Amino acid sequence: MSRTTRRLAVATAAAATAVLLSAVPAAAHVEVEADGAQALAQDVELTFTAESESATAGITQLRVILPKGIAPSDVTYEDGPEGWKFATTDDGYTVKGPAVKVGGDAEHSVVVRQLPDAKELVFKTLQTYSDGKVDRWIELGESDDGHGHGHGNEAPVLELKAAAPGATTVSPTPSTSPTPTPTAAETGVSPTPQAADTEQDEDSGLSTGAWIGIAAAALLVAGAVFLVVRRRGGAQQ
């Protein structure tokens, strides 16, 4: 075989290999990212991008299982595909709606009240298509084959920076201050006579029962005085 023939064969093989490689679709997956991804950071927006691996159906739902330290009530929906709705579940949340275009990615974002004190967060995700197929992005990369390599179904992971000095964990449930009762001046509605009497009693520092007792005692004293005066008048006659 001549040198020219060998070169032509090599070039042909390389071109064929390039065509074959370009024809293989990129591995789909779900990614999560956030600005300010730091342990104990508050009000952090997380953006999830679910890539499609179907050539015939569009993505219709994403179910995200939250990692330890983030409760469903700590998550609020920010944005997503047009027409999609957000709902919490026992272990996370779902976003779903009309199918995105075939081959299109589904991106949505949520805000987390506070990230836990951890080095990384794993968000296992189930991705559903309009034909009923489900991609399960739930595997942990370090446990798939013992060498740190997954098999294509790895769950999205968010790496966290160390907590800022002095950062603390906020209460699980935000404290709610009691709603103050509006005054008549604020509402423009006068209180009922009973309410007005109650307010006056409270302002004077005595309860309604105390005032009733005082009134009864006064009546008894007045009655006794009246009887005494009447008896003296009868005796003088």
PDB file of all heavy atoms in Angstrom, residues 166-190:
ATOM      1  N   GLY A 166     -19.956  33.581  62.443  1.00  0.00           N
ATOM      2  CA  GLY A 166     -21.101  34.093  63.190  1.00  0.00           C
ATOM      3  C   GLY A 166     -22.452  33.670  62.646  1.00  0.00           C
ATOM      4  O   GLY A 166     -23.479  33.994  63.248  1.00  0.00           O
ATOM      5  N   ALA A 167     -22.484  32.969  61.518  1.00  0.00           N
ATOM      6  CA  ALA A 167     -23.767  32.537  60.958  1.00  0.00           C
ATOM      7  C   ALA A 167     -24.415  31.502  61.874  1.00  0.00           C
ATOM      8  O   ALA A 167     -23.737  30.635  62.416  1.00  0.00           O
ATOM      9  CB  ALA A 167     -23.567  31.954  59.565  1.00  0.00           C
ATOM     10  N   THR A 168     -25.712  31.603  62.048  1.00  0.00           N
ATOM     11  CA  THR A 168     -26.450  30.682  62.913  1.00  0.00           C
ATOM     12  C   THR A 168     -27.667  30.146  62.184  1.00  0.00           C
ATOM     13  O   THR A 168     -28.112  30.702  61.181  1.00  0.00           O
ATOM     14  CB  THR A 168     -26.896  31.375  64.208  1.00  0.00           C
ATOM     15  OG1 THR A 168     -27.728  32.505  63.868  1.00  0.00           O
ATOM     16  CG2 THR A 168     -25.705  31.855  65.018  1.00  0.00           C
ATOM     17  N   THR A 169     -28.211  29.067  62.726  1.00  0.00           N
ATOM     18  CA  THR A 169     -29.405  28.458  62.148  1.00  0.00           C
ATOM     19  C   THR A 169     -30.637  29.205  62.617  1.00  0.00           C
ATOM     20  O   THR A 169     -30.814  29.439  63.819  1.00  0.00           O
ATOM     21  CB  THR A 169     -29.510  26.982  62.568  1.00  0.00           C
ATOM     22  OG1 THR A 169     -28.320  26.299  62.172  1.00  0.00           O
ATOM     23  CG2 THR A 169     -30.724  26.328  61.937  1.00  0.00           C
ATOM     24  N   VAL A 170     -31.484  29.597  61.689  1.00  0.00           N
ATOM     25  CA  VAL A 170     -32.714  30.282  62.062  1.00  0.00           C
ATOM     26  C   VAL A 170     -33.718  29.253  62.542  1.00  0.00           C
ATOM     27  O   VAL A 170     -33.572  28.054  62.327  1.00  0.00           O
ATOM     28  CB  VAL A 170     -33.298  31.072  60.872  1.00  0.00           C
ATOM     29  CG1 VAL A 170     -32.336  32.150  60.425  1.00  0.00           C
ATOM     30  CG2 VAL A 170     -33.631  30.143  59.708  1.00  0.00           C
ATOM     31  N   SER A 171     -34.757  29.721  63.216  1.00  0.00           N
ATOM     32  CA  SER A 171     -35.773  28.809  63.737  1.00  0.00           C
ATOM     33  C   SER A 171     -36.452  28.084  62.586  1.00  0.00           C
ATOM     34  O   SER A 171     -36.611  28.642  61.507  1.00  0.00           O
ATOM     35  CB  SER A 171     -36.811  29.589  64.552  1.00  0.00           C
ATOM     36  OG  SER A 171     -37.428  30.573  63.744  1.00  0.00           O
ATOM     37  N   PRO A 172     -36.873  26.827  62.806  1.00  0.00           N
ATOM     38  CA  PRO A 172     -37.517  26.065  61.730  1.00  0.00           C
ATOM     39  C   PRO A 172     -38.739  26.747  61.154  1.00  0.00           C
ATOM     40  O   PRO A 172     -38.990  26.701  59.968  1.00  0.00           O
ATOM     41  CB  PRO A 172     -37.887  24.749  62.426  1.00  0.00           C
ATOM     42  CG  PRO A 172     -36.942  24.644  63.571  1.00  0.00           C
ATOM     43  CD  PRO A 172     -36.707  26.052  64.024  1.00  0.00           C
ATOM     44  N   THR A 173     -39.511  27.382  62.019  1.00  0.00           N
ATOM     45  CA  THR A 173     -40.720  28.065  61.564  1.00  0.00           C
ATOM     46  C   THR A 173     -40.620  29.525  61.948  1.00  0.00           C
ATOM     47  O   THR A 173     -40.379  29.844  63.107  1.00  0.00           O
ATOM     48  CB  THR A 173     -41.970  27.457  62.219  1.00  0.00           C
ATOM     49  OG1 THR A 173     -42.007  26.057  61.925  1.00  0.00           O
ATOM     50  CG2 THR A 173     -43.233  28.128  61.690  1.00  0.00           C
ATOM     51  N   PRO A 174     -40.792  30.430  60.988  1.00  0.00           N
ATOM     52  CA  PRO A 174     -40.706  31.855  61.313  1.00  0.00           C
ATOM     53  C   PRO A 174     -41.713  32.224  62.387  1.00  0.00           C
ATOM     54  O   PRO A 174     -42.858  31.785  62.358  1.00  0.00           O
ATOM     55  CB  PRO A 174     -41.039  32.538  59.975  1.00  0.00           C
ATOM     56  CG  PRO A 174     -40.808  31.491  58.932  1.00  0.00           C
ATOM     57  CD  PRO A 174     -41.098  30.181  59.594  1.00  0.00           C
ATOM     58  N   SER A 175     -41.265  33.028  63.355  1.00  0.00           N
ATOM     59  CA  SER A 175     -42.171  33.464  64.408  1.00  0.00           C
ATOM     60  C   SER A 175     -43.164  34.454  63.837  1.00  0.00           C
ATOM     61  O   SER A 175     -42.825  35.310  63.036  1.00  0.00           O
ATOM     62  CB  SER A 175     -41.380  34.126  65.545  1.00  0.00           C
ATOM     63  OG  SER A 175     -40.642  35.227  65.052  1.00  0.00           O
ATOM     64  N   THR A 176     -44.420  34.325  64.263  1.00  0.00           N
ATOM     65  CA  THR A 176     -45.475  35.196  63.769  1.00  0.00           C
ATOM     66  C   THR A 176     -45.975  36.047  64.918  1.00  0.00           C
ATOM     67  O   THR A 176     -46.443  35.526  65.935  1.00  0.00           O
ATOM     68  CB  THR A 176     -46.638  34.374  63.193  1.00  0.00           C
ATOM     69  OG1 THR A 176     -46.115  33.534  62.160  1.00  0.00           O
ATOM     70  CG2 THR A 176     -47.721  35.278  62.622  1.00  0.00           C
ATOM     71  N   SER A 177     -45.889  37.366  64.783  1.00  0.00           N
ATOM     72  CA  SER A 177     -46.365  38.271  65.823  1.00  0.00           C
ATOM     73  C   SER A 177     -47.877  38.316  65.794  1.00  0.00           C
ATOM     74  O   SER A 177     -48.491  38.303  64.724  1.00  0.00           O
ATOM     75  CB  SER A 177     -45.810  39.690  65.591  1.00  0.00           C
ATOM     76  OG  SER A 177     -44.406  39.667  65.616  1.00  0.00           O
ATOM     77  N   PRO A 178     -48.523  38.343  66.952  1.00  0.00           N
ATOM     78  CA  PRO A 178     -49.980  38.415  66.974  1.00  0.00           C
ATOM     79  C   PRO A 178     -50.468  39.690  66.318  1.00  0.00           C
ATOM     80  O   PRO A 178     -49.861  40.746  66.443  1.00  0.00           O
ATOM     81  CB  PRO A 178     -50.316  38.384  68.473  1.00  0.00           C
ATOM     82  CG  PRO A 178     -49.063  38.854  69.157  1.00  0.00           C
ATOM     83  CD  PRO A 178     -47.931  38.363  68.300  1.00  0.00           C
ATOM     84  N   THR A 179     -51.584  39.590  65.606  1.00  0.00           N
ATOM     85  CA  THR A 179     -52.137  40.755  64.915  1.00  0.00           C
ATOM     86  C   THR A 179     -52.817  41.652  65.926  1.00  0.00           C
ATOM     87  O   THR A 179     -53.725  41.215  66.643  1.00  0.00           O
ATOM     88  CB  THR A 179     -53.153  40.316  63.855  1.00  0.00           C
ATOM     89  OG1 THR A 179     -52.499  39.422  62.956  1.00  0.00           O
ATOM     90  CG2 THR A 179     -53.692  41.521  63.093  1.00  0.00           C
ATOM     91  N   PRO A 180     -52.404  42.929  66.048  1.00  0.00           N
ATOM     92  CA  PRO A 180     -53.033  43.820  67.024  1.00  0.00           C
ATOM     93  C   PRO A 180     -54.463  44.126  66.634  1.00  0.00           C
ATOM     94  O   PRO A 180     -54.801  44.198  65.455  1.00  0.00           O
ATOM     95  CB  PRO A 180     -52.148  45.077  66.969  1.00  0.00           C
ATOM     96  CG  PRO A 180     -51.546  45.041  65.600  1.00  0.00           C
ATOM     97  CD  PRO A 180     -51.354  43.593  65.281  1.00  0.00           C
ATOM     98  N   THR A 181     -55.320  44.292  67.646  1.00  0.00           N
ATOM     99  CA  THR A 181     -56.717  44.637  67.393  1.00  0.00           C
ATOM    100  C   THR A 181     -56.801  46.109  67.012  1.00  0.00           C
ATOM    101  O   THR A 181     -56.329  46.976  67.751  1.00  0.00           O
ATOM    102  CB  THR A 181     -57.569  44.376  68.647  1.00  0.00           C
ATOM    103  OG1 THR A 181     -57.414  43.008  69.016  1.00  0.00           O
ATOM    104  CG2 THR A 181     -59.032  44.702  68.386  1.00  0.00           C
ATOM    105  N   PRO A 182     -57.397  46.447  65.868  1.00  0.00           N
ATOM    106  CA  PRO A 182     -57.466  47.845  65.451  1.00  0.00           C
ATOM    107  C   PRO A 182     -58.390  48.637  66.355  1.00  0.00           C
ATOM    108  O   PRO A 182     -59.386  48.122  66.873  1.00  0.00           O
ATOM    109  CB  PRO A 182     -58.021  47.767  64.023  1.00  0.00           C
ATOM    110  CG  PRO A 182     -58.769  46.469  63.977  1.00  0.00           C
ATOM    111  CD  PRO A 182     -58.014  45.550  64.879  1.00  0.00           C
ATOM    112  N   THR A 183     -58.071  49.901  66.547  1.00  0.00           N
ATOM    113  CA  THR A 183     -58.892  50.783  67.369  1.00  0.00           C
ATOM    114  C   THR A 183     -60.029  51.343  66.522  1.00  0.00           C
ATOM    115  O   THR A 183     -60.036  51.245  65.294  1.00  0.00           O
ATOM    116  CB  THR A 183     -58.050  51.936  67.916  1.00  0.00           C
ATOM    117  OG1 THR A 183     -57.569  52.715  66.808  1.00  0.00           O
ATOM    118  CG2 THR A 183     -56.852  51.408  68.701  1.00  0.00           C
ATOM    119  N   ALA A 184     -61.013  51.958  67.205  1.00  0.00           N
ATOM    120  CA  ALA A 184     -62.140  52.556  66.498  1.00  0.00           C
ATOM    121  C   ALA A 184     -61.680  53.660  65.559  1.00  0.00           C
ATOM    122  O   ALA A 184     -62.225  53.853  64.475  1.00  0.00           O
ATOM    123  CB  ALA A 184     -63.154  53.104  67.508  1.00  0.00           C
ATOM    124  N   ALA A 185     -60.635  54.397  65.975  1.00  0.00           N
ATOM    125  CA  ALA A 185     -60.132  55.476  65.127  1.00  0.00           C
ATOM    126  C   ALA A 185     -59.520  54.926  63.849  1.00  0.00           C
ATOM    127  O   ALA A 185     -59.600  55.539  62.783  1.00  0.00           O
ATOM    128  CB  ALA A 185     -59.097  56.297  65.899  1.00  0.00           C
ATOM    129  N   GLU A 186     -58.889  53.726  63.935  1.00  0.00           N
ATOM    130  CA  GLU A 186     -58.264  53.127  62.758  1.00  0.00           C
ATOM    131  C   GLU A 186     -59.283  52.509  61.816  1.00  0.00           C
ATOM    132  O   GLU A 186     -59.147  52.568  60.600  1.00  0.00           O
ATOM    133  CB  GLU A 186     -57.256  52.058  63.200  1.00  0.00           C
ATOM    134  CG  GLU A 186     -56.060  52.633  63.943  1.00  0.00           C
ATOM    135  CD  GLU A 186     -55.187  51.550  64.533  1.00  0.00           C
ATOM    136  OE1 GLU A 186     -55.699  50.429  64.739  1.00  0.00           O
ATOM    137  OE2 GLU A 186     -54.001  51.811  64.778  1.00  0.00           O
ATOM    138  N   THR A 187     -60.340  51.918  62.380  1.00  0.00           N
ATOM    139  CA  THR A 187     -61.333  51.242  61.541  1.00  0.00           C
ATOM    140  C   THR A 187     -62.483  52.145  61.137  1.00  0.00           C
ATOM    141  O   THR A 187     -63.176  51.873  60.157  1.00  0.00           O
ATOM    142  CB  THR A 187     -61.910  50.030  62.288  1.00  0.00           C
ATOM    143  OG1 THR A 187     -62.565  50.492  63.479  1.00  0.00           O
ATOM    144  CG2 THR A 187     -60.805  49.061  62.663  1.00  0.00           C
ATOM    145  N   GLY A 188     -62.734  53.227  61.908  1.00  0.00           N
ATOM    146  CA  GLY A 188     -63.866  54.095  61.614  1.00  0.00           C
ATOM    147  C   GLY A 188     -65.178  53.532  62.098  1.00  0.00           C
ATOM    148  O   GLY A 188     -66.240  54.047  61.775  1.00  0.00           O
ATOM    149  N   VAL A 189     -65.160  52.453  62.875  1.00  0.00           N
ATOM    150  CA  VAL A 189     -66.369  51.809  63.381  1.00  0.00           C
ATOM    151  C   VAL A 189     -66.395  51.947  64.898  1.00  0.00           C
ATOM    152  O   VAL A 189     -65.437  51.577  65.576  1.00  0.00           O
ATOM    153  CB  VAL A 189     -66.414  50.316  62.987  1.00  0.00           C
ATOM    154  CG1 VAL A 189     -67.663  49.667  63.563  1.00  0.00           C
ATOM    155  CG2 VAL A 189     -66.366  50.171  61.483  1.00  0.00           C
ATOM    156  N   SER A 190     -67.491  52.495  65.427  1.00  0.00           N
ATOM    157  CA  SER A 190     -67.599  52.665  66.868  1.00  0.00           C
ATOM    158  C   SER A 190     -67.865  51.324  67.524  1.00  0.00           C
ATOM    159  O   SER A 190     -68.600  50.491  66.972  1.00  0.00           O
ATOM    160  CB  SER A 190     -68.739  53.634  67.204  1.00  0.00           C
ATOM    161  OG  SER A 190     -68.477  54.905  66.616  1.00  0.00           O
TER     162      SER A 190
END
